[in-house]
Amino acid sequence: MALRTVLRNEWRLLAADPALRIVLAVFAVLFLYALANGMAWERFQERTVEAARTGSAERVSALEQELTDIANGGQPSSPFRDPRAPNALGGARGAHAAVLEPGPLAALAVGQSDLLPYYYDVSIYTNESTFQQNGEVENPLNLLVGRFDLAFVTVYLLPLLVLALSFNVLSEEREQGTLALTLSQPVSARDVVGAKLAFRALLVVGLAAGVSLLGILATGGFGSAGRVVLWCATVVLYALFT
């Protein structure tokens, strides 16, 4: 009963602190913005992959039509573009798109998908040097900093929220003179600190895990249950570790 009273009082203290409400609101906005940014990048990847596949299909269709015309007595537009020649058929005109689709949790963690190519038109002229030049134009500063996704917020900004919630767990009540009143109840100082930390950890973990589940639900990532469990477990353990 005493621990329940401590938790209830802790909730009242946190709810009455305007600075803490602002901090939680700011971090909630950051989490949601990071999720929206990751979802936008995933949609961009999906559109790019679809465009690459469409272009490959159109090239194949054009070659088939030209071969049909030649078989019916027509002539190629140029000797160098004759689809019957191996170098023309295996070159840029007959290139096939090799794509890497976004993973189930791509909206939560962009990773290096903005640095490494995730689609390429493969032909007989493909080699390692041309593969690294995927033709995408991007601000190098953005590539250096990385995408502002949910993984970025969890790794770099979540510890700041943990510090903001836990730096004055005991000192604030000692300064306000309420610690002695709390300890007059049948509860030890260790239990009080443990209850306070557990309640604040629940806020942090609930915020991070809640936004993660929202993103997984919005992107349909529940198709990979193992990855969902691994992501949520990693977020919870990282938040508790910090």
Side-chain angles (χ1 to χ4, degrees):
M1 181 64 68
L3 289 178
R4 185 179 302 176
T5 303
V6 172
L7 292 175
R8 184 166 57 250
N9 291 336
E10 184 69 10
W11 166 252
R12 292 174 179 174
L13 288 174
L14 294 179
D17 189 349
L20 186 58
R21 292 200 302 268
I22 294 175
V23 169
L24 289 175
V26 168
F27 271 88
V29 171
L30 288 176
F31 271 104
L32 293 175
Y33 174 74
L35 177 59
N37 195 28
M39 293 174 62
W41 173 251
E42 183 184 22
R43 288 193 296 268
F44 172 77
Q45 281 188 304
E46 291 173 346
R47 291 194 301 267
T48 304
V49 167
E50 183 62 28
R53 285 176 170 169
T54 301
S56 179
E58 290 176 351
R59 287 192 297 269
V60 171
S61 178
L63 287 173
E64 291 177 348
Q65 182 62 42
E66 189 171 354
L67 287 171
T68 301
D69 294 340
I70 293 175
N72 293 331
Q75 295 295 326
S77 58
S78 169
F80 301 101
R81 295 174 57 85
D82 190 343
R84 296 170 297 181
N87 61 336
L89 185 62
R93 295 193 65 196
H96 289 269
V99 299
L100 178 63
E101 295 184 356
L105 304 181
L108 306 185
V110 172
Q112 292 186 328
S113 61
D114 55 344
L115 291 175
L116 302 178
Y118 54 92
Y119 72 95
Y120 192 78
D121 291 332
V122 180
S123 68
I124 60 175
Y125 302 108
T126 301
N127 53 47
E128 184 177 355
S129 61
T130 59
F131 178 74
Q132 294 297 331
Q133 301 172 1
N134 60 354
E136 293 289 342
V137 179
E138 180 61 86
N139 188 330
L141 181 60
N142 293 339
L143 296 178
L144 177 64
V145 175
R147 295 282 172 178
F148 190 81
D149 56 2
L150 201 57
F152 181 91
V153 175
T154 301
V155 172
Y156 294 104
L157 300 184
L158 187 63
L160 299 180
L161 178 59
V162 174
L163 290 176
L165 288 175
S166 60
F167 78 97
N168 61 345
V169 170
L170 203 59
S171 61
E172 184 178 12
E173 287 204 27
R174 182 181 290 113
E175 293 175 358
Q176 294 176 351
T178 58
L179 180 60
L181 181 61
T182 302
L183 294 179
S184 65
Q185 304 294 323
V187 61
S188 65
R190 179 181 300 176
D191 292 336
V192 172
V193 174
K196 286 176 170 291
L197 290 177
F199 183 80
R200 300 185 184 209
L202 183 62
L203 288 179
V204 175
V205 172
L207 178 61
V211 176
S212 298
L213 292 176
L214 177 63
I216 295 171
L217 180 63
T219 57
F222 281 109
S224 179
R227 295 189 179 186
V228 172
V229 173
L230 181 60
W231 170 270
C232 293
T234 302
V235 170
V236 171
L237 291 176
Y238 183 75
L240 294 178
F241 174 77
T242 55

